[in-house]
Amino acid sequence: MIPLPRAPLPLGSYVLPGGTTDPSQAIGQALAAERIGLTTLWISERLGHRDLGVVAGALGQATTSVNIGSAITPFHIRHPAVLASLASTMQTLTHGRFLLGLGRGGAWLAGLGVTPTTPAQTVVDIAAILRRLWAGDTVTYRGPAGHYPRLQLAGPPQTAPAPLLMAALGPNSLRLAGQHFDGVILPAFLTPQAVARMTTAARSAAQAAGRDPAALRIYATVLTLADPTPHDRDILAGRAVGYLHPPPHGDRIAHLNGWNPAPLARLRAHPLLAGLGPALADEKYRPQELAGPARLIPDSWLATSTATGTPAACTLRLAEYLDAGADELILHGTPPDRLGSLTAAYQRTTTTGPPPAPAGHPSPPQPTA
């Protein structure tokens, strides 16, 4: 059963989805998000057109109530003091509405001259450094995260620190997030059953570390298309290519969902993708350009790991993710200014009660690596 919504709804949305190159569109999307009652606006940082500090600052001034979060920016493309300053400035600017979501990176970062995937101890140390800086401490540090003789932010903190979130997919990242962070961001194209297992893993890690597992916020990303057109379905499938093409990310998603991985090999052998190397498919191509390789993805994969169809059908699927333990959903694939019919259907359902839910999906296996 769909839980009674918090005020506002337990739903958020990305701004500037896909290959958008005009960041000014985020302003209208943010105003729409407030009108329809979304909880959070999320920014997926991309170098060139979606700088986190610039876009978040603009959204902070255009809005008054909606939260603004990064989902995500890599741990190690900014100096820790610069990252701490960005989050502290945003918290003050928005009167406490900012959430800092960080990710461990991937092979695409190698071209920037930084370690592609942030090591575990670096993750732990950066989180500790950020919290100490936000508390007004002077930090001296030498270790895997770098050498910093004297880190300090100017002036005392003006607001409570931003919640510190970590994107996680594999068991090691889920453990780190549960032990050291305020929340976990789960990627798209997971089934509700996979989200339930990952939620349990993260909260068990929090409890083992002596933390309150109920205080760990779970943010599950769900690709959502209400009343999709054929063009929208091509974009959905193209986005799936972006998530499933890169190893080991796609392999982990398939394993967590209990999918036969054989289609991944066929997908990666497609002529458009075979020569990409560490590059991401959605960095090279727009989603609609990936419609060809997307035909190699089984329809059942998309049907069980997304929320598509009528607004009422989408609402039922979103309820499954909330019932699986997610505290808030990050709606992906549809900007806020096109989500009005979905949020209206969600509000109607939480008032009147939902019709019987569809049958559940087969339980995927427990991750082994």
Side-chain angles (χ1 to χ4, degrees):
M1 181 175 182
I2 299 175
L4 290 177
R6 300 174 180 87
L9 302 174
L11 307 175
S13 173
Y14 279 109
V15 295
L16 304 176
T20 304
T21 58
D22 179 8
S24 67
Q25 293 180 16
I27 303 302
Q29 293 168 7
L31 296 175
E34 288 203 316
R35 284 196 303 271
I36 64 177
L38 293 183
T39 297
T40 309
L41 292 166
W42 297 94
I43 301 163
S44 175
E45 184 165 45
R46 293 289 180 93
L47 302 181
H49 304 288
R50 276 183 268 170
D51 179 88
L52 173 60
V54 174
V55 176
L59 298 184
Q61 288 303 282
T63 59
T64 59
S65 61
V66 69
N67 295 329
I68 299 163
S70 61
I72 55 172
T73 188
F75 275 93
H76 51 308
I77 63 170
R78 290 181 176 86
H79 189 286
V82 174
L83 186 58
S85 178
L86 186 158
S88 181
T89 302
M90 274 301 303
Q91 269 296 79
T92 303
L93 185 71
T94 61
H95 305 288
R97 292 187 285 129
F98 186 64
L99 303 93
L100 181 59
L102 300 170
R104 298 180 71 180
W108 67 275
L109 285 172
L112 299 183
V114 298
T115 304
T117 301
T118 311
Q121 191 58 51
T122 302
V123 167
V124 173
D125 290 355
I126 289 177
I129 289 170
L130 292 175
R131 289 194 170 106
R132 289 190 60 192
L133 290 173
W134 291 333
D137 294 348
T138 298
V139 177
T140 298
Y141 173 90
R142 182 187 291 271
H147 176 212
Y148 308 117
R150 184 181 175 87
L151 298 181
Q152 188 175 24
L153 299 182
Q158 299 299 304
T159 61
L164 195 53
L165 316 178
M166 179 176 165
L169 178 60
N172 292 333
S173 292
L174 286 169
R175 175 179 51 80
L176 289 172
Q179 291 175 341
H180 300 283
F181 288 78
D182 302 310
V184 186
I185 300 172
L186 303 181
F189 295 102
L190 294 169
T191 65
Q193 289 71 30
V195 166
R197 289 177 178 270
M198 297 169 77
T199 297
T200 298
R203 289 188 166 140
S204 295
Q207 186 169 30
R211 309 177 73 204
D212 178 5
L216 184 73
R217 296 278 293 178
I218 306 296
Y219 299 87
T221 307
V222 184
L223 198 138
T224 304
L225 289 172
D227 292 328
T229 65
H231 176 70
D232 289 332
R233 291 189 182 94
D234 285 344
I235 291 178
L236 180 153
R239 291 193 191 284
V241 173
Y243 275 82
L244 297 172
H245 162 256
H249 189 94
D251 305 88
R252 288 173 176 163
I253 288 178
H255 176 76
L256 286 163
N257 289 339
W259 295 338
N260 182 338
L264 291 178
R266 295 192 289 271
L267 176 69
R268 291 164 179 163
H270 189 280
L272 276 182
L273 307 178
L276 286 181
L280 299 177
D282 59 356
E283 290 275 1
K284 179 73 172 176
Y285 303 106
R286 295 175 65 86
Q288 52 267 42
E289 295 175 314
L290 293 170
R295 295 188 187 98
L296 299 172
I297 299 174
D299 290 341
S300 62
W301 287 16
L302 301 181
T304 57
S305 63
T306 65
T308 59
T310 65
C314 290
T315 293
L316 287 175
R317 175 52 55 82
L318 297 179
E320 293 182 52
Y321 285 97
L322 293 168
D323 287 343
D327 295 292
E328 184 180 327
L329 305 181
I330 304 174
L331 307 186
H332 184 23
T334 304
D337 51 355
R338 294 180 55 197
L339 286 172
S341 63
L342 175 63
T343 57
Y346 185 94
Q347 289 169 321
R348 286 194 300 271
T349 304
T350 56
T351 300
T352 62
H361 311 302
S363 291
Q366 184 68 28
T368 58

